[in-house]
Each structure stands twice: as C-alpha cells, then as structure tokens.
Amino acid sequence: MKNTISTIAAVIIVLFSANTIQATTIKAETTTIEDVDSSQLQAVYDAYFTVKDALIKSDAKLTSAKATDLLTAITAVKMDKLKSNEHTAWMKVVKKLTADAKSISTSSDIKKQRETFKSLTKSTYDLVKVSKSTEVVYKQYCPMVDADWLSKEKAVKNPYYGSSMLTCGNVVETIK
C-alpha cells in the first residue's frame, strides 16, 4: 500500500515537473516572438526618421528616395504578427501612412513633400504612442507652420524650413 502511494506521488511529481518545464519553454518562445514582432514597426519609424532628415537638408530628390524606403518598410509589416493594440492602431493609420509615403516619394517639389509630411507625422505619432520605439522619441512643434514632427534627438532641427529656420520649434512631448 505504501509502495503504491509512493509510486503515485512520484508519478504526479514527474508529470507536474514536465508540465512546468513545458510552460516555461512556451513562455520563453512567446517572449522571443514578441521581441521580433516589435521590430516590424521600428523599421517604419527608422524609415520615417530618414525622410525627416532628408527634409531638413531641403533635398527633394533624397526625400523622395527615403519615402520610397518608407513605403518598403510599411509593406513589409506583417499585421498578424503585431500585438493587439499595435494591430488596432496600424489598421487605423496604414492607408493614410501608405498614401502619404507614396505622395512624398513621387513628388519632386519640396514644399509639397513638407506639406504631406505633416500628415505622415500624425500617423507615425499615433503608432509610436501605442507601440513605443526602441529609443526615446521627441515630438517637436513648429509654430510658424503649426505642425509637429518626430525626432530621435532632443535638439530641434526643423524639417519644414531646413537651413532657413533650422532651430525654429520646441520639444512638446517625450515618448519613452
């Protein structure tokens, strides 16, 4: 009788241990998948920053090329791999984000590119607020054009005026 109880107890302990090991393994795999998935939107953010930097240089041709890179990053996002809140935000902005990036990429007029950049920034900001960038992002504002932009640097470099008014603006929000 004692041997039977001991055997049953041993079997229960072995099964419980195996279940715990399996659960830990699944949790580790899930964490890894989530880390990889978060990088999908980071590629979009990084491409956005290159468009902003090209606008700061007042280079319409470079801006167009960087907007094409942004389009590539947008189309590479796998929606089914996003977290629930990211997926919801993505669905709200993806059409406008794509249209704005396409408009900037096909334009050679820096003024039109800058005008479209306002809307591109709004969509990107909505995503960054939900998913967070891997870096600190600063939302900056220019009162002269009544428009925002996002930056990885705290120092103001205005994409709406480039060198003519490079430091016009201020940081209005820090997103961590």
Side-chain angles (χ1 to χ4, degrees):
M1 182 77 170
K2 284 186 177 181
N3 281 344
T4 305
I5 293 174
S6 296
T7 304
I8 291 173
V11 168
I12 291 173
I13 290 172
V14 168
L15 290 175
F16 181 75
S17 297
N19 192 27
T20 303
I21 291 168
Q22 184 179 9
T24 304
T25 304
I26 290 171
K27 184 177 179 186
E29 288 172 2
T30 303
T31 303
T32 305
I33 290 169
E34 285 177 4
D35 290 344
V36 170
D37 293 344
S38 296
S39 68
Q40 284 194 85
L41 294 180
Q42 188 62 44
V44 173
Y45 305 149
D46 291 343
Y48 165 89
F49 292 127
T50 64
V51 171
K52 174 200 56 99
D53 292 342
L55 286 171
I56 290 169
K57 294 175 183 172
S58 298
D59 185 336
K61 193 173 184 176
L62 180 62
T63 301
S64 177
K66 295 303 179 183
T68 300
D69 294 344
L70 175 58
L71 268 174
T72 301
I74 292 167
T75 57
V77 172
K78 292 176 177 46
M79 290 184 285
D80 60 327
K81 303 284 186 193
L82 297 173
K83 296 175 192 166
S84 177
N85 59 339
E86 291 173 337
H87 184 272
T88 301
W90 180 255
M91 293 305 294
K92 288 179 183 174
V93 302
V94 67
K95 285 184 182 177
K96 187 67 176 148
L97 198 65
T98 303
D100 290 341
K102 190 173 224 168
S103 174
I104 293 170
S105 72
T106 57
S107 177
S108 58
D109 181 345
I110 195 78
K111 287 183 180 181
K112 287 182 182 176
Q113 289 174 329
R114 285 179 168 144
E115 189 60 35
T116 306
F117 186 70
K118 292 177 186 179
S119 174
L120 182 73
T121 294
K122 166 121 181 50
S123 297
T124 306
Y125 172 77
D126 291 347
L127 277 178
V128 169
K129 284 296 284 185
V130 170
S131 71
K132 306 292 187 231
S133 172
T134 56
E135 305 169 278
V136 174
V137 175
Y138 300 96
K139 181 180 181 185
Q140 300 176 336
Y141 174 75
C142 174
M144 300 294 288
V145 290
D146 189 27
D148 299 310
W149 70 93
L150 304 174
S151 180
K152 292 191 278 185
E153 302 92 32
K154 194 171 187 175
V156 172
K157 292 183 183 173
N158 190 324
Y160 297 107
Y161 286 111
S163 62
S164 66
M165 291 179 66
L166 186 61
T167 59
C168 178
N170 59 307
V171 175
V172 294
E173 185 179 352
T174 302
I175 306 163
K176 296 180 181 179

PDB file of all heavy atoms in Angstrom, residues 16-34:
ATOM      1  N   PHE A  16       3.997  16.869 -13.039  1.00  0.00           N
ATOM      2  CA  PHE A  16       3.949  18.293 -12.696  1.00  0.00           C
ATOM      3  C   PHE A  16       5.222  18.992 -13.148  1.00  0.00           C
ATOM      4  O   PHE A  16       5.189  20.081 -13.718  1.00  0.00           O
ATOM      5  CB  PHE A  16       3.736  18.473 -11.192  1.00  0.00           C
ATOM      6  CG  PHE A  16       3.644  19.918 -10.787  1.00  0.00           C
ATOM      7  CD1 PHE A  16       2.495  20.656 -11.046  1.00  0.00           C
ATOM      8  CD2 PHE A  16       4.712  20.551 -10.168  1.00  0.00           C
ATOM      9  CE1 PHE A  16       2.418  21.990 -10.692  1.00  0.00           C
ATOM     10  CE2 PHE A  16       4.648  21.880  -9.810  1.00  0.00           C
ATOM     11  CZ  PHE A  16       3.484  22.617 -10.069  1.00  0.00           C
ATOM     12  N   SER A  17       6.378  18.357 -12.923  1.00  0.00           N
ATOM     13  CA  SER A  17       7.669  18.931 -13.331  1.00  0.00           C
ATOM     14  C   SER A  17       7.740  19.080 -14.846  1.00  0.00           C
ATOM     15  O   SER A  17       8.190  20.108 -15.361  1.00  0.00           O
ATOM     16  CB  SER A  17       8.824  18.063 -12.849  1.00  0.00           C
ATOM     17  OG  SER A  17       8.838  18.018 -11.444  1.00  0.00           O
ATOM     18  N   ALA A  18       7.305  18.078 -15.578  1.00  0.00           N
ATOM     19  CA  ALA A  18       7.331  18.135 -17.048  1.00  0.00           C
ATOM     20  C   ALA A  18       6.430  19.259 -17.547  1.00  0.00           C
ATOM     21  O   ALA A  18       6.777  19.992 -18.475  1.00  0.00           O
ATOM     22  CB  ALA A  18       6.894  16.796 -17.632  1.00  0.00           C
ATOM     23  N   ASN A  19       5.258  19.428 -16.936  1.00  0.00           N
ATOM     24  CA  ASN A  19       4.327  20.474 -17.324  1.00  0.00           C
ATOM     25  C   ASN A  19       4.930  21.856 -17.067  1.00  0.00           C
ATOM     26  O   ASN A  19       4.807  22.768 -17.878  1.00  0.00           O
ATOM     27  CB  ASN A  19       3.006  20.299 -16.565  1.00  0.00           C
ATOM     28  CG  ASN A  19       1.913  21.178 -17.124  1.00  0.00           C
ATOM     29  OD1 ASN A  19       1.947  21.520 -18.293  1.00  0.00           O
ATOM     30  ND2 ASN A  19       0.958  21.537 -16.283  1.00  0.00           N
ATOM     31  N   THR A  20       5.605  22.023 -15.930  1.00  0.00           N
ATOM     32  CA  THR A  20       6.246  23.298 -15.590  1.00  0.00           C
ATOM     33  C   THR A  20       7.353  23.622 -16.590  1.00  0.00           C
ATOM     34  O   THR A  20       7.464  24.750 -17.065  1.00  0.00           O
ATOM     35  CB  THR A  20       6.817  23.250 -14.164  1.00  0.00           C
ATOM     36  OG1 THR A  20       5.763  22.941 -13.253  1.00  0.00           O
ATOM     37  CG2 THR A  20       7.467  24.570 -13.785  1.00  0.00           C
ATOM     38  N   ILE A  21       8.161  22.634 -16.946  1.00  0.00           N
ATOM     39  CA  ILE A  21       9.246  22.838 -17.917  1.00  0.00           C
ATOM     40  C   ILE A  21       8.657  23.232 -19.274  1.00  0.00           C
ATOM     41  O   ILE A  21       9.128  24.166 -19.917  1.00  0.00           O
ATOM     42  CB  ILE A  21      10.123  21.572 -18.035  1.00  0.00           C
ATOM     43  CG1 ILE A  21      10.908  21.368 -16.750  1.00  0.00           C
ATOM     44  CG2 ILE A  21      11.054  21.661 -19.245  1.00  0.00           C
ATOM     45  CD1 ILE A  21      11.580  20.006 -16.643  1.00  0.00           C
ATOM     46  N   GLN A  22       7.591  22.559 -19.684  1.00  0.00           N
ATOM     47  CA  GLN A  22       6.958  22.866 -20.970  1.00  0.00           C
ATOM     48  C   GLN A  22       6.388  24.286 -20.953  1.00  0.00           C
ATOM     49  O   GLN A  22       6.549  25.038 -21.904  1.00  0.00           O
ATOM     50  CB  GLN A  22       5.854  21.856 -21.265  1.00  0.00           C
ATOM     51  CG  GLN A  22       5.207  22.061 -22.627  1.00  0.00           C
ATOM     52  CD  GLN A  22       4.126  21.034 -22.899  1.00  0.00           C
ATOM     53  OE1 GLN A  22       3.737  20.268 -22.020  1.00  0.00           O
ATOM     54  NE2 GLN A  22       3.634  21.032 -24.118  1.00  0.00           N
ATOM     55  N   ALA A  23       5.729  24.683 -19.880  1.00  0.00           N
ATOM     56  CA  ALA A  23       5.157  26.025 -19.768  1.00  0.00           C
ATOM     57  C   ALA A  23       6.249  27.088 -19.812  1.00  0.00           C
ATOM     58  O   ALA A  23       6.097  28.128 -20.452  1.00  0.00           O
ATOM     59  CB  ALA A  23       4.339  26.150 -18.483  1.00  0.00           C
ATOM     60  N   THR A  24       7.361  26.840 -19.150  1.00  0.00           N
ATOM     61  CA  THR A  24       8.485  27.782 -19.161  1.00  0.00           C
ATOM     62  C   THR A  24       9.049  27.917 -20.572  1.00  0.00           C
ATOM     63  O   THR A  24       9.352  29.016 -21.026  1.00  0.00           O
ATOM     64  CB  THR A  24       9.585  27.318 -18.191  1.00  0.00           C
ATOM     65  OG1 THR A  24       9.009  27.150 -16.895  1.00  0.00           O
ATOM     66  CG2 THR A  24      10.731  28.309 -18.134  1.00  0.00           C
ATOM     67  N   THR A  25       9.165  26.822 -21.291  1.00  0.00           N
ATOM     68  CA  THR A  25       9.666  26.844 -22.659  1.00  0.00           C
ATOM     69  C   THR A  25       8.728  27.638 -23.558  1.00  0.00           C
ATOM     70  O   THR A  25       9.170  28.467 -24.341  1.00  0.00           O
ATOM     71  CB  THR A  25       9.820  25.404 -23.201  1.00  0.00           C
ATOM     72  OG1 THR A  25      10.672  24.674 -22.323  1.00  0.00           O
ATOM     73  CG2 THR A  25      10.380  25.410 -24.605  1.00  0.00           C
ATOM     74  N   ILE A  26       7.437  27.439 -23.449  1.00  0.00           N
ATOM     75  CA  ILE A  26       6.460  28.164 -24.254  1.00  0.00           C
ATOM     76  C   ILE A  26       6.526  29.655 -23.939  1.00  0.00           C
ATOM     77  O   ILE A  26       6.508  30.481 -24.833  1.00  0.00           O
ATOM     78  CB  ILE A  26       5.035  27.603 -24.029  1.00  0.00           C
ATOM     79  CG1 ILE A  26       4.924  26.205 -24.653  1.00  0.00           C
ATOM     80  CG2 ILE A  26       3.985  28.538 -24.612  1.00  0.00           C
ATOM     81  CD1 ILE A  26       3.660  25.476 -24.301  1.00  0.00           C
ATOM     82  N   LYS A  27       6.657  29.997 -22.675  1.00  0.00           N
ATOM     83  CA  LYS A  27       6.746  31.407 -22.287  1.00  0.00           C
ATOM     84  C   LYS A  27       7.991  32.045 -22.901  1.00  0.00           C
ATOM     85  O   LYS A  27       7.940  33.163 -23.407  1.00  0.00           O
ATOM     86  CB  LYS A  27       6.767  31.553 -20.767  1.00  0.00           C
ATOM     87  CG  LYS A  27       6.755  32.976 -20.297  1.00  0.00           C
ATOM     88  CD  LYS A  27       6.715  33.076 -18.796  1.00  0.00           C
ATOM     89  CE  LYS A  27       6.731  34.539 -18.378  1.00  0.00           C
ATOM     90  NZ  LYS A  27       6.830  34.696 -16.954  1.00  0.00           N
ATOM     91  N   ALA A  28       9.105  31.361 -22.883  1.00  0.00           N
ATOM     92  CA  ALA A  28      10.348  31.888 -23.463  1.00  0.00           C
ATOM     93  C   ALA A  28      10.191  32.086 -24.964  1.00  0.00           C
ATOM     94  O   ALA A  28      10.621  33.094 -25.520  1.00  0.00           O
ATOM     95  CB  ALA A  28      11.507  30.948 -23.166  1.00  0.00           C
ATOM     96  N   GLU A  29       9.546  31.138 -25.646  1.00  0.00           N
ATOM     97  CA  GLU A  29       9.318  31.275 -27.085  1.00  0.00           C
ATOM     98  C   GLU A  29       8.414  32.463 -27.376  1.00  0.00           C
ATOM     99  O   GLU A  29       8.648  33.219 -28.310  1.00  0.00           O
ATOM    100  CB  GLU A  29       8.698  29.994 -27.654  1.00  0.00           C
ATOM    101  CG  GLU A  29       9.666  28.842 -27.720  1.00  0.00           C
ATOM    102  CD  GLU A  29       8.994  27.530 -28.090  1.00  0.00           C
ATOM    103  OE1 GLU A  29       7.770  27.523 -28.326  1.00  0.00           O
ATOM    104  OE2 GLU A  29       9.697  26.509 -28.149  1.00  0.00           O
ATOM    105  N   THR A  30       7.373  32.658 -26.590  1.00  0.00           N
ATOM    106  CA  THR A  30       6.449  33.772 -26.780  1.00  0.00           C
ATOM    107  C   THR A  30       7.168  35.100 -26.610  1.00  0.00           C
ATOM    108  O   THR A  30       6.992  36.017 -27.398  1.00  0.00           O
ATOM    109  CB  THR A  30       5.275  33.676 -25.778  1.00  0.00           C
ATOM    110  OG1 THR A  30       4.647  32.420 -25.957  1.00  0.00           O
ATOM    111  CG2 THR A  30       4.277  34.785 -25.990  1.00  0.00           C
ATOM    112  N   THR A  31       8.002  35.220 -25.616  1.00  0.00           N
ATOM    113  CA  THR A  31       8.755  36.449 -25.386  1.00  0.00           C
ATOM    114  C   THR A  31       9.646  36.754 -26.577  1.00  0.00           C
ATOM    115  O   THR A  31       9.712  37.884 -27.044  1.00  0.00           O
ATOM    116  CB  THR A  31       9.601  36.328 -24.103  1.00  0.00           C
ATOM    117  OG1 THR A  31       8.728  36.022 -23.017  1.00  0.00           O
ATOM    118  CG2 THR A  31      10.344  37.606 -23.810  1.00  0.00           C
ATOM    119  N   THR A  32      10.314  35.766 -27.110  1.00  0.00           N
ATOM    120  CA  THR A  32      11.184  35.962 -28.263  1.00  0.00           C
ATOM    121  C   THR A  32      10.382  36.429 -29.468  1.00  0.00           C
ATOM    122  O   THR A  32      10.776  37.356 -30.160  1.00  0.00           O
ATOM    123  CB  THR A  32      11.928  34.654 -28.598  1.00  0.00           C
ATOM    124  OG1 THR A  32      12.620  34.213 -27.436  1.00  0.00           O
ATOM    125  CG2 THR A  32      12.893  34.854 -29.740  1.00  0.00           C
ATOM    126  N   ILE A  33       9.244  35.823 -29.711  1.00  0.00           N
ATOM    127  CA  ILE A  33       8.391  36.211 -30.837  1.00  0.00           C
ATOM    128  C   ILE A  33       7.941  37.658 -30.674  1.00  0.00           C
ATOM    129  O   ILE A  33       7.988  38.435 -31.615  1.00  0.00           O
ATOM    130  CB  ILE A  33       7.184  35.254 -30.967  1.00  0.00           C
ATOM    131  CG1 ILE A  33       7.665  33.882 -31.446  1.00  0.00           C
ATOM    132  CG2 ILE A  33       6.155  35.816 -31.926  1.00  0.00           C
ATOM    133  CD1 ILE A  33       6.626  32.794 -31.356  1.00  0.00           C
ATOM    134  N   GLU A  34       7.535  38.064 -29.479  1.00  0.00           N
ATOM    135  CA  GLU A  34       7.086  39.434 -29.261  1.00  0.00           C
ATOM    136  C   GLU A  34       8.197  40.434 -29.515  1.00  0.00           C
ATOM    137  O   GLU A  34       7.988  41.484 -30.076  1.00  0.00           O
ATOM    138  CB  GLU A  34       6.534  39.600 -27.844  1.00  0.00           C
ATOM    139  CG  GLU A  34       5.169  38.974 -27.671  1.00  0.00           C
ATOM    140  CD  GLU A  34       4.645  39.068 -26.260  1.00  0.00           C
ATOM    141  OE1 GLU A  34       5.298  39.691 -25.411  1.00  0.00           O
ATOM    142  OE2 GLU A  34       3.568  38.522 -26.012  1.00  0.00           O
TER     143      GLU A  34
END
